[in-house]
Amino acid sequence: MIKKFDQIIVGGGVIGCSIAYQLSKRGYQVLVLESATTGCEASNSAAGMLGAQNEFTEEGPLFRFARDSRHLFKELSDELISETDIDIHYVHEGILKLSFDQQQSRQLEEIAAFQKSIGNPAYILSRAEVLEMEPGVTSEVASAVYMPDDGQVSAPDLNKAFLKAAQNRGTVIHENERVVKLLVTDGYIYGVSTVHADYHADQVVIATGAFGSGLLPETTSTIPVKGECLELQMENPVIQATVSSDGCYLVPKQGGKVLVGASSLPGRTDKEISARAVSLLLEKAFLMVPELSKASINRLWTGIRPGTSDGKPYMGAVPDVPGLYISVGHYRNGILLSPITGVYMADLITGKRVDPSYYESFNAGRVNEFIGRGGG
């Protein structure tokens, strides 16, 4: 069994697999260690929205990072199909955010004004224009902001495609192998210990999502945020664009399916689904698209998002431990941020220059000391 690698990535979700893919493209021998099965947590639970404009309402490094990542998806989709024959189902129909009263309409106007001020397309639509674009939306809508550059993909297929593409380039994947300890000597990382064996590498990346905080510096521990979702089945498609309002989103998928999400419960990691959450989500869904009341429910599920105290991901080198890196805390934007995160982390790990504003935002001044602990 090979036990020496160039890099070890702890975590087989969409972030870890994207980093592995980018490193393997550059000719490095990578090991990915996953405590369960790859993509089994937030990555497979996500709706797959690429909401760079929908999610962010102020200019800054994270917004630019998200916008740049969104721009990578068309080329990435073609690249992954070519390398793996896996279609990530990239859809570029935009996101339509609805308002139902004057206060919400003013908020949407502020969003549109901000987006236009930094050169992003965003259009305020009247009720008539909304219904012309999406006849399935309720006639009770007051107005909407349409952001045509946002879109969506299939989150599970994206994770599978990153994984297979990395494997095709030599990455080794070990599932059901939990890392229990980082191997550090004289302040330098030299590998990890798992429940089965020790593996050596001069560079280790922690990409454990909402879990595995026992391996992280205490100042970069993630906050689990439980989200409950459901999938509705219609005989025929009722919307083309992603539609959202008041903390609920509707993401149309192939075959008349619509994903509805999501609740937000910080600090919760259980997988129970409450009747109240389902009822509230359905109420909001029917308010936006009444025809969905005729749908059947295909499935219900939960996902545990990796939040942080300030809403920004932790990405970068851990101070005072050469060779140790982290890439966690992407919250509900892991799918959107995964392509650029892979490139950014691979650049950082291999000594290429990265945008200093990104590094300062994601890491510098936010990681104060490394506390080596077991667990994860």
Side-chain angles (χ1 to χ4, degrees):
M1 178 187 296
I2 299 174
K3 293 190 177 182
K4 173 65 177 175
F5 297 86
D6 295 317
Q7 293 94 15
I8 295 172
I9 297 172
V10 184
V14 71
I15 297 299
C17 288
S18 177
I19 298 169
Y21 175 50
Q22 291 298 330
L23 287 170
S24 65
K25 282 177 70 174
R26 302 175 192 205
Y28 293 95
Q29 182 64 52
V30 183
L31 170 66
V32 174
L33 295 167
E34 166 57 46
S35 62
T37 56
T38 52
C40 66
E41 294 292 348
S43 299
N44 279 0
S45 302
M49 288 193 300
L50 308 179
Q53 292 174 243
N54 185 62
E55 288 289 326
F56 300 96
T57 57
E58 61 181 17
E59 173 69 312
L62 184 56
F63 175 77
R64 295 195 301 273
F65 200 69
R67 185 178 56 190
D68 292 347
S69 193
R70 182 189 62 187
H71 290 333
L72 297 177
F73 270 93
K74 177 59 175 75
E75 183 177 342
L76 176 67
S77 175
D78 296 338
E79 179 180 311
L80 290 175
I81 288 177
S82 175
E83 295 211 12
T84 69
D85 291 326
I86 296 174
D87 186 354
I88 65 172
H89 302 285
Y90 171 67
V91 175
H92 190 213
E93 293 286 350
I95 292 180
L96 196 64
K97 196 169 187 127
L98 310 182
S99 72
F100 291 91
D101 57 42
Q102 287 186 342
Q103 181 180 356
Q104 290 180 340
S105 294
R106 285 194 294 270
Q107 291 172 343
L108 296 190
E109 288 169 1
E110 291 174 1
I111 291 172
F114 161 68
Q115 294 295 340
K116 289 180 179 179
S117 73
I118 56 176
N120 293 322
Y123 307 102
I124 293 294
L125 305 182
S126 66
R127 175 188 289 115
E129 289 170 326
V130 172
L131 297 179
E132 181 179 359
M133 176 179 287
E134 291 287 355
V137 168
T138 176
S139 59
E140 299 298 314
V141 66
S143 66
V145 60
Y146 178 56
M147 293 163 284
D149 284 354
D150 282 348
Q152 57 146 311
V153 295
S154 166
D157 287 319
L158 179 64
N159 201 106
K160 291 175 186 174
F162 275 139
L163 176 67
K164 186 174 180 181
Q167 286 179 302
N168 288 348
R169 291 176 175 270
T171 291
V172 176
I173 313 290
H174 287 188
E175 295 185 316
N176 300 304
E177 190 159 1
R178 183 171 62 91
V179 173
V180 295
K181 182 181 178 182
L182 302 179
L183 300 178
V184 180
T185 185
D186 297 328
Y188 287 81
I189 194 85
Y190 68 94
V192 302
S193 288
T194 75
V195 291
H196 300 308
D198 288 354
Y199 300 95
H200 296 164
D202 293 331
Q203 295 171 315
V204 174
V205 185
I206 308 298
T208 47
F211 302 94
S213 291
L215 299 172
L216 294 169
E218 193 167 84
T219 49
T220 58
S221 293
T222 54
I223 301 167
V225 183
K226 174 183 174 180
E228 296 149 297
C229 305
L230 60 146
E231 181 183 86
L232 301 180
Q233 178 68 60
M234 295 292 292
E235 185 174 342
N236 297 302
V238 290
I239 51 175
Q240 300 300 315
T242 295
V243 177
S244 70
S245 179
D246 190 26
C248 179
Y249 51 78
L250 309 175
V251 186
K253 300 293 183 178
Q254 289 186 329
K257 297 179 177 65
V258 178
L259 302 191
V260 184
S263 62
S264 183
L265 302 169
R268 293 274 298 276
T269 59
D270 64 277
K271 296 300 179 73
E272 294 179 356
I273 301 170
S274 72
R276 175 176 173 77
V278 173
S279 176
L280 288 173
L281 288 172
L282 288 175
E283 180 182 345
K284 292 177 180 180
F286 299 161
L287 174 63
M288 290 188 281
V289 181
E291 193 75 7
L292 289 176
S293 63
K294 301 176 183 178
S296 58
I297 297 177
N298 275 352
R299 59 191 179 103
L300 308 167
W301 71 96
T302 63
I304 313 299
R305 313 176 188 100
T308 63
S309 59
D310 63 3
K312 298 176 184 177
Y314 297 111
M315 292 188 285
V318 174
D320 303 324
V321 186
L324 180 60
Y325 299 83
I326 54 175
S327 185
V328 297
H330 292 70
Y331 190 35
R332 59 187 184 189
N333 294 304
I335 300 301
L336 167 64
L337 297 177
S338 61
I340 200 168
T341 295
V343 174
Y344 173 82
M345 291 301 299
D347 284 348
L348 195 65
I349 290 164
T350 58
K352 288 192 175 181
R353 185 182 183 278
V354 298
D355 187 324
S357 69
Y358 290 157
Y359 193 80
E360 290 166 5
S361 177
F362 302 146
N363 190 55
R366 302 172 72 234
V367 183
N368 298 318
E369 65 177 300
F370 171 68
I371 301 176
R373 292 177 288 152

